[in-house]
Amino acid sequence: MEIKKMDFSKKKKGIFKKAHKINVHCDAEVSIIMICSNSELYEYTTPTSTMKKIIDQYQSRVGVDLWSNHYEKMQEELRRLNNMNTTLRKEIMQRKGEELDNLNMEQLCSLEEEMLCALKSIRDRKYRLIMVQMDNSRKKVRFLQGIQESLLDMEMEYINRGEVVDEGGRNSSRVYDNPVPVQQPCSLQIDENYETSCITTVSMDAEDSV
């Protein structure tokens, strides 16, 4: 096998060299295409021309059209894509409530079922987003409640020790005989029925829209 490859390589170089000499000495345009048994492709074209130009000259001289089949396939593929594009545009318009006059009862029922399935998916996605947002809000409220409780504990500790925090954040050592208890501000509360009422409201709005 290796001997055949080496022999082919030598002969290929010799043929390409002869083709180059024909181009230089005879002022002829030469094009060579070689395909090996392992499907490797080798080609040579004179530097002053191109493979396509030589093939076009061959077609005009012989009277054959090597590109007709390929062109017909391209035209067929283009028609298929245009038909697909038209169908998709029509389906999009039908889902927007347009172009419904040519649909029969079966097609209308099928379209309605598809729209209901799509609406269900949209609602499910919306409810999941609502739950995520509510969960994030609860986490923020718990975080703020924790900060509030920490500040209240620090304030009560200072008062019980008879210390006062001045405006600059420094502790003064003034002692009060009867420390006045500090009234705790209202803490943040979450309505337990908020989640249920929110989802119920969204569900009612979605049903009204349908």
Side-chain angles (χ1 to χ4, degrees):
M1 190 67 179
E2 294 295 332
I3 297 176
K4 289 184 178 181
K5 287 184 178 180
M6 293 177 62
D7 189 33
F8 172 78
S9 179
K10 291 180 181 179
K11 291 183 178 181
K12 175 177 67 68
K13 291 180 180 179
I15 293 174
F16 286 175
K17 187 175 181 180
K18 290 180 180 179
H20 179 69
K21 288 182 179 180
I22 292 174
N23 171 248
V24 174
H25 298 292
C26 303
D27 193 20
E29 294 182 350
V30 182
S31 180
I32 300 174
I33 298 176
M34 292 184 180
I35 301 177
C36 301
S37 58
N38 57 359
S39 300
E40 291 184 0
L41 176 66
Y42 301 93
E43 61 177 300
Y44 171 83
T45 305
T46 54
T48 57
S49 183
T50 61
M51 181 69 70
K52 183 180 182 303
K53 182 179 178 181
I54 295 177
I55 292 176
D56 290 340
Q57 291 179 358
Y58 170 80
Q59 291 183 118
S60 63
R61 298 289 179 84
V62 179
V64 297
D65 189 358
L66 300 177
W67 313 111
S68 59
N69 292 334
H70 183 64
Y71 179 76
E72 290 176 359
K73 290 181 180 179
M74 291 179 61
Q75 289 294 322
E76 183 179 355
E77 181 68 14
L78 180 61
R79 286 192 294 269
R80 187 184 68 83
L81 293 176
N82 286 333
N83 293 334
M84 183 184 298
N85 184 39
T86 302
T87 302
L88 292 175
R89 286 179 177 272
K90 185 180 294 185
E91 290 180 356
I92 292 173
M93 295 180 68
Q94 289 173 353
R95 280 159 177 75
K96 293 170 61 177
E98 303 174 1
E99 297 291 336
L100 301 177
D101 296 336
N102 296 327
L103 298 180
N104 55 29
M105 181 60 67
E106 183 179 356
Q107 291 172 334
L108 288 173
C109 292
S110 177
L111 179 61
E112 182 183 13
E113 184 177 356
E114 292 178 2
M115 296 295 291
L116 290 175
C117 292
L119 181 60
K120 182 179 181 302
S121 299
I122 294 172
R123 286 178 177 174
D124 292 340
R125 175 59 179 168
K126 183 174 65 175
Y127 292 155
R128 286 196 296 269
L129 288 178
I130 290 174
M131 297 301 295
V132 170
Q133 292 176 357
M134 293 177 63
D135 185 60
N136 292 335
S137 298
R138 284 194 293 267
K139 290 180 180 179
K140 290 180 181 179
V141 170
R142 286 195 294 268
F143 176 73
L144 294 175
Q145 285 178 339
I147 294 177
Q148 183 188 35
E149 292 174 359
S150 299
L151 293 175
L152 290 175
D153 292 340
M154 292 174 60
E155 186 176 8
M156 292 300 298
E157 183 180 355
Y158 285 134
I159 292 175
N160 291 333
R161 291 189 305 181
E163 298 179 354
V164 178
V165 180
D166 59 14
E167 294 180 355
R170 297 182 297 273
N171 294 338
S172 62
S173 58
R174 289 184 295 174
V175 179
Y176 294 88
D177 295 334
N178 295 317
V180 179
V182 178
Q183 183 178 2
Q184 294 185 357
C186 297
S187 60
L188 298 173
Q189 299 292 335
I190 303 177
D191 188 359
E192 296 179 354
N193 297 325
Y194 173 74
E195 177 178 342
T196 305
S197 62
C198 180
I199 295 179
T200 303
T201 304
V202 173
S203 178
M204 292 178 63
D205 293 340
E207 292 177 357
D208 293 339
S209 64
V210 175

